[in-house]
Amino acid sequence: QPLEELPQPLEELPQPLEELPHPLALPASHYAQLHHSIRGYVLIRDAIDVASLKRYFAQIVSRSTSSRDGPDPDGPIRGEKTRHQRTIPVYLAEPLIVMGMKAVLNAGLLGDRDLVEVKLLVSDPVEDEEEGIQEPHTDGRLDDAVYNRASCQYDEASMMLSGVLAIEPAGSEIYFYSNGPSGTRTKVHVPRGCLALFRGDTWHAGAGYRQTNRRAHFYFTARTHRREHNSTYG
């Protein structure tokens, strides 16, 4: 083939890979805040329709009180006096699960997670909100390689995600710690209908409340990394 007929070089090189948008970043800030910053959490606003919450709120509160044994037993949370967890009846939990999964999917953060579990968390009122703050902990095991960025098993698509959905009219609050339990503590207000979503290795703690506070606690897991029931790490 004559040289003059060879393909000519491109005048413009393709866009560098690092400048291309991340395929899962929808919106980009959500994915970056959750996985590529020291925050390890993101606030998904209007995750669940407030009108739907108003319809379910009274039933969730009044009927999520059955005492049972099992992997996540109802009643006081181990080692705590002012926090309790309750089982939400299936017919009330399913709408929450569907709406919660849809919110995480729409935020581009569902990944390979195919199982959603939800519990009702209840905090009794305390006089001193500071003394009512929970001990900082993680919901996932920190020695699990799925959270280790240096490991070939690190996987943002399958690591466990936890979520706190505010269902009270006044919302709920949660503390997040950057760089471990001794790091900077940030108090995040979660408005009603919004979901605070965080990685299993994110250090966090429940707030203290002057009035009874109830919220839904979600666990989003993939088949390859199911959570250990009734366990937190700190």
Side-chain angles (χ1 to χ4, degrees):
Q1 188 178 18
L3 289 178
E4 59 271 13
E5 296 183 14
L6 290 175
Q8 297 300 309
L10 293 175
E11 294 183 2
E12 295 185 6
L13 293 176
Q15 188 178 12
L17 182 60
E18 60 270 18
E19 294 182 14
L20 293 174
H22 195 292
L24 296 179
L26 300 171
S29 59
H30 279 168
Y31 197 91
Q33 288 173 20
L34 186 65
H35 292 299
H36 300 158
S37 74
I38 62 174
R39 289 174 48 144
Y41 72 91
V42 64
L43 185 63
I44 301 178
R45 298 190 176 276
D46 302 319
I48 292 183
D49 180 54
V50 173
S52 299
L53 276 180
K54 289 180 179 178
R55 291 197 301 270
Y56 289 113
F57 179 71
Q59 295 185 68
I60 291 173
V61 169
S62 64
R63 302 189 182 186
S64 300
T65 56
S66 59
S67 179
R68 69 170 181 83
D69 296 323
D72 287 310
D74 290 335
I77 295 175
R78 185 174 51 199
E80 299 192 38
K81 297 181 179 180
T82 62
R83 288 178 183 79
H84 315 267
Q85 62 181 4
R86 298 284 183 263
T87 296
I88 303 175
V90 174
Y91 73 96
L92 292 174
E94 284 186 347
L96 285 177
I97 288 173
V98 170
M99 289 185 285
M101 180 173 279
K102 183 178 180 181
V104 175
L105 175 64
N106 289 342
L109 299 172
L110 189 59
D112 296 332
R113 301 167 190 91
D114 61 349
L115 178 65
V116 184
E117 302 169 86
V118 63
K119 298 280 289 187
L120 182 71
L121 293 186
V122 182
S123 289
D124 297 331
V126 293
E127 291 185 5
D128 187 338
E129 293 183 2
E130 187 69 23
E131 291 184 1
I133 298 174
Q134 192 178 27
E135 288 294 320
H137 63 280
T138 65
D139 289 346
R141 291 180 51 178
L142 294 178
D143 60 355
D144 191 334
V146 73
Y147 302 115
N148 184 356
R149 296 181 187 274
S151 170
C152 62
Q153 298 181 51
Y154 177 77
D155 189 3
E156 295 170 354
S158 66
M159 63 178 60
M160 181 178 73
L161 299 180
S162 294
V164 172
L165 174 73
I167 62 176
E168 295 272 8
S172 293
E173 294 174 336
I174 185 169
Y175 287 92
F176 290 104
Y177 298 75
S178 60
N179 298 318
S182 59
T184 303
R185 186 180 76 179
T186 301
K187 184 178 183 180
V188 176
H189 175 71
V190 187
R192 190 183 201 185
C194 297
L195 177 71
L197 187 73
F198 48 98
R199 294 163 46 120
D201 62 345
T202 298
W203 288 89
H204 64 282
Y209 299 90
R210 293 187 181 276
Q211 296 181 333
T212 300
N213 186 272
R214 290 148 292 207
R215 60 255 181 223
H217 196 304
F218 288 85
Y219 302 94
F220 301 85
T221 61
R223 189 181 305 275
T224 54
H225 291 91
R226 297 299 188 214
R227 76 183 182 97
E228 294 185 18
H229 290 84
N230 198 28
S231 298
T232 58
Y233 306 88

